[in-house]
Amino acid sequence: MTRDLLRALVQAAIASPSVHNVQPARWRLDGAGLVLLEDTSRRLTVGDPSGHDAAISLGAAAEGVAIAASAEGLVTRIERLGGAAGSLREVARLSFAPGAAPDPLLPLLARRASWRGPFQPPQPADRARAAALSADDFLVVIQAARIDAIAARCDRASYAIMRDDRFRAELRHWMRLRPSHADWARDGLNAEAMQLSPLTAAAAGAVLGPLFRPLAAIGLAPHLLAERTGFAHAVAVGLFHRPASEDPFDTGRAFHRSWLAIDAAGFGANVLAALADHRESAAALCTEHGLGSDRRLVSAFRIGLRAGDGFAPARLPLDEVLLA
Ligand SMILES: Cc1cc2nc3c(=O)[nH]c(=O)nc-3n(C[C@H](O)[C@H](O)[C@H](O)COP(=O)(O)O)c2cc1C
């Protein structure tokens, strides 16, 4: 293993998804391997107090390295580390050995991105291709009426979460509403990624900020924040569920792979975490879709055919992510 190759693996993993795009993964070269650390200053203290979503994000980053390493014929061994709490916490050691075939998801690693924009109307073949994404941990809903019901539930769950002033403040902290924002291209959720025009971005900032309480008082806030129209032409909703007792780091590895598989099938998707984070919604969805108590609804994906162009991903540069 050369240092250049290890650096290239970390560079490839920067494309991995993370909650609010906080990018908590930091890396250190460790001889012929890598140590993955969590930058705990990136924790969402309101939205993710237990670090569950941070752990999913870290697992996703580790899987990103493993997929990238397969291009070099390398199998990745991931050993968990119980790093002491601190601003940088050691999470895992990754070592590499020959013997891997290129991972079929490899071509998607750099291309996958959240798609929060409109969808093109699907054809029957698209629904069949979406249905084929079904897996032991991925339940695909393609019936229009069921998708509508999930969309309505999603808005209710999302609003229930958004009512918390501290949650909205933290979300706004990670939103970059104007290209002049210093971190627009580096991290968080910029208006382009959220598919907001300059005007709607400014409006969203106001509705989530100073206008929220007055709008909530007259009953308008839920309507203004509703994303139901975003489900128009959705080909499917995917319910991603894992063993209830699974370590969220391992969940994150599988989460990344599931998302890459969606993109590999030619779709664009975005995460509907509110459905899983809002307890009553998650419980109701599990009941409606026959997921037993041994399963945890981790997240849901809204899936469809992208109608529109891609955009430059906001990411931290390698020299900030790879520690000296
Ligand atoms: C644990 C977790 C939860 C997420 N929750 C949401 C969500 O509720 N809504 C959303 O639009 N994206 C969500 N995302 C997607 C991230 O915002 C996204 O991966 C990040 O902004 C990076 O952008 P990219 O997916 O385009 O690479 C989540 C991602 C992770 C890992």
Side-chain angles (χ1 to χ4, degrees), residues 196-221:
L196 300 175
S197 69
L199 195 67
T200 47
V207 173
L208 290 172
L211 294 185
F212 183 85
R213 282 170 169 245
L215 289 169
I218 56 170
L220 261 183

Side-chain angles (χ1 to χ4, degrees), residues 22 26 31 44 57 61 79 91 110 118 131 179 182 200 218 248 256 258 263 275:
V22 305
R26 299 291 175 270
L44 301 172
S57 307
E79 174 202 351
V91 174
T200 47
I218 56 170
H256 194 177
S258 287
D263 281 40
L275 286 171

Side-chain angles (χ1 to χ4, degrees), residues 17-19 21 57 112-114 116 189 255 259 270-271 273 315:
S18 64
V19 62
N21 200 19
S57 307
R112 182 215 54 82
S114 298
R116 302 184 179 90
L189 303 161
F255 172 82
W259 198 341
N270 83 305
V271 175
R315 287 295 190 274

Side-chain angles (χ1 to χ4, degrees), residues 72-248:
E72 310 298 327
L74 296 169
V75 179
T76 304
R77 179 166 172 267
I78 301 179
E79 174 202 351
R80 296 299 308 282
L81 301 173
S87 58
L88 280 172
R89 193 176 63 86
E90 290 190 345
V91 174
R93 178 176 290 114
L94 280 68
S95 49
F96 306 95
D103 192 308
L105 297 173
L106 182 61
L108 282 305
L109 192 56
R111 295 212 311 262
R112 182 215 54 82
S114 298
W115 178 259
R116 302 184 179 90
F119 295 127
Q120 296 170 38
Q123 303 299 316
D126 299 315
R127 293 200 192 286
R129 221 168 55 256
L133 290 167
S134 295
D136 288 349
D137 60 2
F138 203 73
L139 194 153
V140 180
V141 178
I142 53 168
Q143 301 86 345
R146 288 187 143 198
I147 294 176
D148 273 356
I150 292 176
R153 191 180 286 293
C154 189
D155 275 343
R156 290 197 298 274
S158 184
Y159 187 69
I161 293 170
M162 290 285 185
R163 285 173 63 183
D164 180 343
D165 293 343
R166 292 167 60 241
F167 183 92
R168 290 194 317 283
E170 187 176 64
L171 175 60
R172 286 179 81 224
H173 171 77
W174 287 98
M175 283 166 72
R176 286 81 177 93
L177 298 173
R178 278 184 294 271
S180 57
H181 191 292
D183 295 322
W184 171 272
R186 287 169 45 83
D187 60 13
L189 303 161
N190 70 32
E192 217 170 27
M194 293 185 289
Q195 303 262 344
L196 300 175
S197 69
L199 195 67
T200 47
V207 173
L208 290 172
L211 294 185
F212 183 85
R213 282 170 169 245
L215 289 169
I218 56 170
L220 261 183
H223 302 285
L224 291 171
L225 292 173
E227 290 189 49
R228 205 165 172 175
T229 52
F231 286 78
H233 301 313
V235 67
V237 169
L239 301 179
F240 175 66
H241 57 98
R242 298 287 300 176
S245 58
E246 185 172 65
D247 183 325

